């Protein structure tokens, strides 16, 4: 299998342009369209089934983290198989659940103080799951690292959020296309920052 040319490799230490980020992610999506749609479908079914019980709800951060990890692996040119993200995500279940709890509490408390602190924390912590699943970091290490990675690019992340929200709305009925594509955008952005630190 020919390796995908990841955005991180293509940039050679330079700042990533939003245009390159979307182009690179779209190419990876098109090259792996069946896999991306199949895994997104599986993720949706598993989230629905797991969302019925308390124990299932506790496992969801691991499943979602595994899906994020599969997008990172795709962006890196690694082999990804249909459904393999579930096992890989559950292997990091404890850290991903801990991160989810800290994230939700932090954002909730931040939003109680006039919304903006909560939005700030969401931007600061954008890549916490990416770091846990890709680098096998602890919860505290992941929060520290994502804070360092995003400290100088908060406006860029805000622009990315807005563009992704517009894409999600425009492609609303085509969730199984928009969701993996946008996940690849974040995975590519994470890799570009990870390789440049």
């Amino acid at each position: 299998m020919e390796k995908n040319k990841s955005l991180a490799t293509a940039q050679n230490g330079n700042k990533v342009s939003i245009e390159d980020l979307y182009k690179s992610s779209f190419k990876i999506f098109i090259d792996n369209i069946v896999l991306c749609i199949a895994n997104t479908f599986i993720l949706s079914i598993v989230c629905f089934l797991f969302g019925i019980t308390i124990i299932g709800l506790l496992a969801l951060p691991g499943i979602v983290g595994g899906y994020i990890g599969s997008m990172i692996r795709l962006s890196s040119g690694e082999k990804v198989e249909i459904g393999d993200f579930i096992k890989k995500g559950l292997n990091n279940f404890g850290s991903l659940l801990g991160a989810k709890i800290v994230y939700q509490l932090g954002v909730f408390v931040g939003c109680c103080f006039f919304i903006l602190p909560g939005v700030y924390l969401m931007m600061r912590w954008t890549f916490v799951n990416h770091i846990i699943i890709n680098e096998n970091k602890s919860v505290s290490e992941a929060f520290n690292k994502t804070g360092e990675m995003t400290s100088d690019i908060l406006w860029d992340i805000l622009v990315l959020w807005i563009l992704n929200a517009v894409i999600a709305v425009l492609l609303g009925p085509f969730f199984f296309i928009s969701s993996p594509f946008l996940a690849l955008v974040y995975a590519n952005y994470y890799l570009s920052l990870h390789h440049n630190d």
Side-chain angles (χ1 to χ4, degrees):
M1 175 177 127
E2 183 182 334
K3 291 201 171 235
N4 296 320
K5 185 180 181 185
S6 80
L7 185 66
T9 309
Q11 292 304 312
N12 295 324
N14 298 326
K15 187 175 177 182
V16 177
S17 78
I18 298 290
E19 181 182 356
D20 287 342
L21 185 63
Y22 281 99
K23 282 181 179 176
S24 173
S25 301
F26 186 71
K27 182 178 184 331
I28 294 168
F29 173 72
I30 292 299
D31 289 346
N32 300 278
I33 190 166
V34 173
L35 175 71
C36 288
I37 291 173
N39 275 349
T40 303
F41 181 76
I42 291 169
L43 175 69
S44 302
I45 296 297
V46 170
C47 285
F48 175 76
L49 294 175
F50 277 39
I52 297 171
T53 66
I54 298 294
I55 294 174
L57 283 172
L58 293 176
L60 282 181
I63 303 298
V64 173
Y67 180 78
I68 290 169
S70 73
M71 294 306 184
I72 294 171
R73 288 184 287 128
L74 266 184
S75 297
S76 298
E78 296 176 32
K79 185 176 181 182
V80 176
E81 295 180 358
I82 293 175
D84 72 350
F85 68 91
I86 295 174
K87 181 180 177 185
K88 291 182 184 297
L90 291 176
N91 287 342
N92 289 286
F93 159 74
S95 296
L96 290 164
L97 176 61
K100 181 70 171 176
I101 292 168
V102 172
Y103 182 95
Q104 296 289 8
L105 284 173
V107 170
F108 173 76
V109 171
C111 286
C112 288
F113 291 95
F114 308 107
I115 308 293
L116 287 179
V119 173
Y120 169 78
L121 289 178
M122 284 191 286
M123 290 191 295
R124 236 9 236 274
W125 295 343
T126 296
F127 300 113
V128 70
N129 286 333
H130 296 75
I131 293 166
I132 288 172
I133 199 78
N134 189 56
E135 302 174 46
N136 203 27
K137 299 282 190 187
S138 69
V139 174
S140 60
E141 289 171 331
F143 276 97
N144 287 336
K145 182 161 185 184
T146 189
E148 292 168 6
M149 288 171 75
T150 58
S151 62
D152 296 331
I153 57 166
L154 292 177
W155 286 113
D156 294 342
I157 291 174
L158 183 61
V159 168
L160 200 67
W161 277 12
I162 293 168
L163 290 172
N164 285 355
V166 170
I167 291 169
V169 169
L170 291 175
L171 296 178
F174 306 101
F175 169 81
F176 294 108
I177 292 174
S178 63
S179 186
F181 170 63
L182 297 179
L184 282 167
V185 169
Y186 283 112
N188 254 319
Y189 199 16
Y190 157 74
L191 283 173
S192 71
L193 297 170
H194 173 61
H195 288 288
N196 291 333
D197 33 339

